[in-house]
Amino acid sequence: MKFKRQIKPYRAAAGGWGSLEATTRFVFDSKAALKNMRNLMRMNKARGFDCPGCAWGDDNKSTFSFCENGAKAVTWEATRRTVDPDFFAQHSVSRLYAESDYFLEYQGRLTHPLSYNPDTDHYEPVSWEDAFTLIAQHIHAMDNPDQIELYTSGRASNEASWLYQLFGRMLGTNNFPDCSNMCHEASGTGLKRSIGVGKGTIRLDDFESADAIFVFGQNPGTNHPRMLHSLRHAAEHGASIVTFNTLRERGLERFADPQNPLEVVTPMAGKISSSYYQPRLGGDMAAVRGMVKALLEEHRRQLALDGEGIFDTQFIREHTHGVDAYLAAVDATGWEAITAGSGLSEEELRQAAAIYQHSERVICTWAMGITQHKHSVDTVREIANLQLLFGQLGKKGAGLCPVRGHSNVQGNRTMGIDEKPGAPFLDALGTHFGFEPPRRAGHNTVEAIEAMLRDEIRVLITLGGNLAAAAPDSPRTEEALQRCGLTVHISTKLNRTHLVPGYENSLILPTLGRTERDMQRTGSQFITVEDSFSMVHASEGIGIPLSEHQRSETAIVAGIANAVLGREKANWQGMADDYSVIRDHIAATLPGFDDFNQKCEQPGGFYLGNAAARHVFATPSGKAEFSAAPLPDTLFPQLGNTTVPFVLQTLRSHDQYNTTIYGLDDRYRGVYGQRRVVFIHPEDMAEQGMREGDKVDIETLWNDGITRQVEGFVLVPYNIPRGNLAAYYPETNPLVPLSSFGDDSGTPTSKSIPVKLSLTRQQPSLRIA
Ligand SMILES: Nc1nc2c(c(=O)[nH]1)N[C@H]1C(S)=C(S)[C@@H](COP(=O)(O)OP(=O)(O)OC[C@H]3O[C@@H](n4cnc5c(=O)[nH]c(N)nc54)[C@H](O)[C@@H]3O)O[C@H]1N2
Ligand SMILES: Nc1nc2c(c(=O)[nH]1)N[C@H]1C(S)=C(S)[C@@H](COP(=O)(O)OP(=O)(O)OC[C@H]3O[C@@H](n4cnc5c(=O)[nH]c(N)nc54)[C@H](O)[C@@H]3O)O[C@H]1N2
Ligand SMILES: [Mo]
């Protein structure tokens, strides 16, 4: 594979011809053009499969809506390329380990169950029955049930996830680390504390009636392209779109310039105006505090004039708790701390506050720029504070909207993939199946890796995902995997995690993707998923599986559970034969799922509801809780007085889906044919005596004596605050210390890593991507 490396600023608008061209290129490059086209046509229709891309909702108005990156996700899965036993006979694990993440997944779909042979360093075919027996042997040899970790990635269906948690809890553990621990955990934790429910309060059509949409720390042009449609429609109706993003992101920027209508004739064309603020990394809590400070001043001024003020005092009185303490905290926060913390001027924040004040209905959305910092829970709660002051909850066109990542990550949690499950769910599960579920909290992702490093874990099973590449501190995560006796990976494609085997055994279990037909004993099965707006709907694959040896996730989980626990506790095989049996169990154990099977027939799915949107708050006070947390003094209290030259964020390029690398371009940021780049302010570059195109090493500054460094990153001058850097994940994951995670969220601080730069001395032999 040869790639032309180039940096060339992208001048067109986001969406448009560029995406259509890229989409068709992907469709025709994947050796299955016709099948892919047919797949795209079915995506998101009432019957057909749910897009395995992001968790944005479907507007049931257009017959089908897909975006460039959804198309990539589908075609990547629907490839005809395969990695079969011959491939593994040819390539040893050490040889494959030397390849890039791009190379590994590009080889195609896994077709056979495989078992690692340490004597030959090769994966070899194994029968399903032998694989299940081996898993059972390892699990039966454990001293206690907490010696297993059951990881989940957010693509797994509701049915597979629910069955997986039942298996774990019947085994006796709550060790359910999942990708959400590295993702929106702070949103769940923060919102639960503030409004009693860890999910967004709005529905997709609320975007149509919003007067303003504040988008914090999110890059929808790449990661939620269908959200651009909602933003465009909102803007057409006159809504202001106000962006807070450290980087100038093209997908958002064009919205920022009212003089520049999107140039091409596509569904994206249209004139969208907004404001664009560039806080420094981790500066959003201070920015929102600044807005509230300005609004409080205005409230008091108005109050003196008309006795009412601008806040929704009735809502505050009836539905909230703690406003006085919060406003005292706002008074106690000076402008100096606000501007220093946010990197924005008082004038900019007053301007943003004025837009907010003059908008009757406001939606606040956010993603990883908010959730992957040390003080993320407080930041989420600060956004909630702002919305509570104005009663923006449960009103049409207004509310809180964490925009989820993986297409069913919200559903996984609803199904009980949670290391700290609530008592009501465990009670329901225990009563329904007649057993006593474990009550001890289990491990989140960071805790799971730490436990593996302490040799406390014997078995790791991953239901999707790529833990070795997605988790922080890559060398330590890889060591952790090697300290498990058995690792088992239920996967569609080959990835780095498979190449770091456990010390006794490792299995790769090939699974069907969401786009594929899932035939079981009682016929073709559908699964269900939940989007960011709490809509649950059915998804039925149509593609013909590549191999008769691939099994569905649900069937694999049932097979493992049956081998380990036997059929006395539950009829695992019966559930795998007919997923509607699982849905009946879900209906019996989870609120909101009554008549689940019947509700699946509704086109577009059904709404799970959101208590906070109905002004019912499941908090200790029974009301929405203001949070009076102070602004953090520093992002790195662990570092004391150490000078931190740069703060680095790790983010996604346009051609990737998390650790899946589709290609080496990042079109909107003007990067082509390469991924080892670091974005830097031109003046910072000059000050360091460095030039565009120079190669640099990036080293983390931390307090544990471990050297964390990545080498040979090309400097790209960019519109980014002074002192801030950006580079792609997962290449930079070795830089994120395992011990650096969010307060109360445990999420690795992937958006604020303290680093220094130095020119690369020796040119390392670069591996592509
Ligand atoms: N095509 C595609 N789609 C995806 C994914 C993918 O990899 N590819 N991943 C999926 C998943 S799992 C997730 S979680 C989502 C992720 O969706 P995003 O959160 O959009 O993903 P990131 O690329 O991490 O981008 C973070 C954005 O926040 C900004 N940012 C970073 N730090 C800060 C900060 O401190 N303050 C502010 N205001 N801005 C900041 C960055 O400049 C960047 O624009 O996307 C999902 N959808
Ligand atoms: N530095 C840094 N690290 C990060 C982040 C960051 O912004 N910066 N983001 C974090 C976030 S938000 C997330 S969500 C995590 C993602 O962490 P993960 O969810 O663990 O990683 P993915 O890259 O999404 O997983 C890709 C793999 O999933 C498998 N797969 C794909 N489809 C299916 C399927 O349908 N079924 C099954 N069983 N397997 C499938 C394939 O084998 C593929 O190789 O990474 C986190 N890590
Ligand atoms: Mo995510």
Side-chain angles (χ1 to χ4, degrees):
M1 280 168 276
K2 271 217 165 302
F3 295 97
K4 189 166 173 236
R5 294 186 185 172
Q6 202 181 0
I7 305 291
K8 196 174 75 183
Y10 185 80
R11 306 228 177 267
W17 290 125
S19 10
L20 281 188
E21 202 183 279
T23 309
T24 44
R25 189 155 45 79
F26 263 90
V27 168
F28 292 114
D29 182 48
S30 74
K31 284 197 170 174
L34 275 176
K35 180 180 158 196
N36 281 332
M37 275 306 189
R38 206 175 51 140
N39 281 350
L40 289 181
M41 304 296 286
R42 296 270 185 102
M43 204 150 68
N44 297 333
K45 274 201 200 172
R47 231 35 191 177
F49 58 85
D50 183 69
C51 179
C54 69
W56 194 251
D58 303 330
D59 70 4
N60 297 308
K61 294 179 187 122
S62 46
T63 24
F64 73 101
S65 107
F66 74 91
C67 71
E68 173 192 353
N69 280 342
K72 285 183 202 164
V74 169
T75 52
W76 196 253
E77 180 170 298
T79 177
R80 304 307 293 176
R81 291 190 183 90
T82 56
V83 278
D84 53 16
D86 280 351
F87 174 89
F88 288 99
Q90 277 168 29
H91 304 288
S92 70
V93 165
S94 332
R95 148 94 183 70
L96 289 170
Y97 184 85
E99 296 290 349
S100 69
D101 296 315
Y102 173 72
F103 174 92
L104 296 177
E105 281 216 17
Y106 188 79
Q107 303 313 306
R109 291 287 298 275
L110 295 156
T111 55
H112 286 68
L114 300 159
S115 175
Y116 178 66
N117 181 342
D119 296 333
T120 60
D121 190 31
H122 283 262
Y123 271 104
E124 295 167 355
V126 62
S127 73
W128 279 103
E129 291 340 296
D130 288 351
F132 291 148
T133 305
L134 184 71
I135 296 170
Q137 279 166 357
H138 275 270
I139 293 179
H140 291 152
M142 297 187 324
D143 304 321
N144 70 68
D146 288 329
Q147 288 183 332
I148 191 170
E149 298 288 353
L150 297 165
Y151 178 77
T152 312
S153 168
R155 209 179 273 194
S157 66
N158 286 339
E159 288 74 6
S161 305
W162 186 88
L163 202 62
Y164 194 53
Q165 67 78 32
L166 181 67
F167 162 62
R169 298 207 161 101
M170 283 193 164
L171 193 62
T173 188
N174 284 312
N175 281 351
F176 289 105
D178 66 346
C179 72
S180 173
N181 298 140
M182 302 186 274
C183 182
H184 262 294
E185 189 72 48
S187 306
T189 305
L191 289 179
K192 226 174 166 61
R193 289 183 188 172
S194 288
I195 61 170
V197 45
K199 299 183 185 182
T201 63
I202 67 165
R203 302 185 63 172
L204 185 55
D205 60 6
D206 281 314
F207 281 87
E208 288 167 18
S209 26
D211 297 315
I213 300 161
F214 282 66
V215 181
F216 292 95
Q218 193 194 344
N219 184 23
T222 287
N223 297 316
H224 303 94
R226 284 180 295 142
M227 179 175 170
L228 293 185
H229 292 258
S230 301
L231 292 179
R232 177 183 69 106
H233 286 304
E236 274 172 5
H237 294 140
S240 316
I241 290 160
V242 183
T243 294
F244 284 78
N245 197 303
T246 318
L247 290 183
R248 281 274 164 178
E249 298 285 24
R250 178 49 47 128
L252 288 159
E253 195 182 25
R254 268 299 152 95
F255 302 142
D257 185 357
Q259 309 310 318
N260 269 315
L262 297 177
E263 292 151 351
V264 271
V265 189
T266 72
M268 284 300 306
K271 198 167 178 171
I272 299 165
S273 67
S274 79
S275 321
Y276 206 116
Y277 301 103
Q278 284 180 273
R280 65 169 53 111
L281 290 170
D284 301 81
M285 182 181 177
V288 176
R289 180 74 47 104
M291 284 172 63
V292 172
K293 198 169 176 68
L295 291 163
L296 177 59
E297 202 180 284
E298 187 59 21
H299 175 70
R300 286 181 178 143
R301 207 177 61 80
Q302 285 285 338
L303 195 64
L305 292 176
D306 63 9
E308 283 194 10
I310 61 170
F311 292 164
D312 187 338
T313 39
Q314 193 186 345
F315 177 88
I316 294 173
R317 204 173 40 245
E318 285 174 20
H319 299 298
T320 73
H321 173 252
V323 70
D324 293 339
Y326 174 56
L327 295 181
V330 174
D331 280 328
T333 317
W335 277 108
E336 213 167 283
I338 289 168
T339 54
S342 66
L344 297 172
S345 68
E346 184 177 333
E347 192 191 343
E348 285 174 301
L349 292 171
R350 285 187 182 278
Q351 204 181 62
I355 300 173
Y356 189 101
Q357 184 194 335
H358 295 110
S359 307
E360 176 63 28
R361 300 156 191 281
V362 181
I363 291 174
C364 291
T365 80
W366 66 91
M368 297 304 101
I370 293 301
T371 62
Q372 295 179 333
H373 293 290
K374 187 162 192 305
H375 58 299
S376 290
V377 170
D378 285 343
T379 305
V380 167
R381 297 200 65 188
E382 191 71 14
I383 296 173
N385 286 340
L386 169 65
Q387 291 286 74
L388 290 176
L389 285 175
F390 289 84
Q392 299 283 10
L393 240 54
K395 139 168 125 176
K396 190 93 207 106
L400 293 160
C401 178
V403 183
R404 305 280 165 183
H406 265 301
S407 51
N408 196 38
V409 66
Q410 186 158 317
N412 296 165
R413 265 293 152 83
T414 306
M415 291 299 120
I417 299 296
D418 189 342
E419 73 280 6
K420 299 183 290 281
F425 174 62
L426 294 181
D427 293 343
L429 211 56
T431 310
H432 185 66
F433 286 100
F435 78 113
E436 188 41 57
R439 304 279 162 166
R440 299 172 306 283
H443 293 146
N444 66 19
T445 298
V446 166
E447 289 162 349
I449 295 167
E450 285 169 342
M452 292 186 230
L453 284 170
R454 289 193 305 266
D455 290 325
E456 288 168 14
I457 304 302
R458 304 274 292 268
V459 178
L460 165 73
I461 303 182
T462 70
L463 177 58
N466 183 4
L467 193 58
D473 232 346
S474 318
R476 265 144 299 283
T477 293
E478 292 189 8
E479 186 192 331
L481 290 167
Q482 288 164 320
R483 287 181 176 276
C484 298
L486 170 72
T487 57
V488 180
H489 306 298
I490 302 168
S491 311
T492 51
K493 288 207 167 180
L494 180 62
N495 67 41
R496 189 147 310 279
T497 308
H498 305 143
L499 306 176
V500 191
Y503 66 85
E504 285 177 334
N505 294 106
S506 274
L507 295 167
I508 303 177
L509 305 180
T511 190
L512 296 174
R514 192 181 290 169
T515 60
E516 281 138 2
R517 184 179 301 166
D518 181 356
M519 287 301 285
Q520 300 296 339
R521 230 172 265 173
T522 61
S524 175
Q525 306 294 314
F526 65 87
I527 51 100
T528 59
V529 294
E530 176 183 341
D531 67 24
S532 277
F533 305 97
S534 304
M535 291 295 297
V536 178
H537 50 98
S539 169
E540 188 168 3
I542 51 169
I544 309 295
L546 277 180
S547 152
E548 58 184 10
H549 303 291
Q550 292 168 328
R551 291 195 182 174
S552 77
E553 291 178 334
T554 308
I556 297 172
V557 173
I560 295 173
N562 198 48
V564 175
L565 298 174
R567 57 162 299 154
E568 293 75 43
K569 289 190 170 184
N571 182 359
W572 308 100
Q573 187 57 49
M575 292 192 265
D577 289 345
D578 180 356
Y579 299 176
S580 70
V581 176
I582 302 180
R583 285 186 288 272
D584 283 339
H585 288 308
I586 293 174
T589 50
L590 281 167
F593 287 89
D594 332 81
D595 303 324
F596 192 6
N597 277 305
Q598 290 85 311
K599 281 187 191 158
C600 290
E601 298 302 322
Q602 293 172 22
F606 63 97
Y607 178 50
L608 273 182
N610 181 296
R614 297 191 311 270
H615 296 168
V616 175
F617 300 101
T619 59
S621 65
K623 294 185 167 190
E625 302 267 358
F626 281 97
S627 155
L631 297 185
D633 293 331
T634 158
L635 294 178
F636 315 110
Q638 303 91 332
L639 288 180
N641 293 327
T642 313
T643 312
V644 175
F646 291 103
V647 183
L648 169 77
Q649 66 152 318
T650 59
L651 41 50
R652 292 153 174 81
S653 80
H654 195 63
D655 277 1
Q656 81 182 75
Y657 194 92
N658 298 339
T659 68
T660 295
I661 312 299
Y662 301 128
L664 303 187
D665 296 348
D666 191 10
R667 193 170 74 243
Y668 296 155
R669 299 194 188 104
V671 175
Y672 294 89
Q674 58 191 333
R675 290 182 50 84
R676 291 178 87 87
V677 298
V678 54
F679 300 100
I680 184 171
H681 191 286
E683 287 170 31
D684 280 337
M685 197 168 59
E687 208 174 86
Q688 298 276 313
M690 296 172 178
R691 283 183 310 207
E692 175 169 1
D694 278 351
K695 284 194 180 140
V696 294
D697 299 345
I698 314 175
E699 186 183 335
T700 305
L701 300 163
W702 204 237
N703 56 2
D704 55 8
I706 297 175
T707 302
R708 295 179 177 86
Q709 181 169 294
V710 293
E711 286 111 29
F713 279 62
V714 175
L715 284 178
V716 177
Y718 211 78
N719 189 337
I720 183 173
R722 294 289 307 265
N724 283 180
L725 303 171
Y728 302 130
Y729 133 74
E731 286 81 350
T732 45
N733 283 43
L735 297 175
V736 188
L738 198 55
S739 58
S740 177
F741 48 76
D743 297 332
D744 294 345
S745 67
T747 300
T749 54
S750 308
K751 294 291 188 276
S752 44
I753 313 167
V755 297
K756 64 178 188 191
L757 296 180
S758 56
L759 282 171
T760 302
R761 282 183 204 287
Q762 267 177 308
Q763 298 290 304
S765 58
L766 292 178
R767 67 175 187 207
I768 293 175

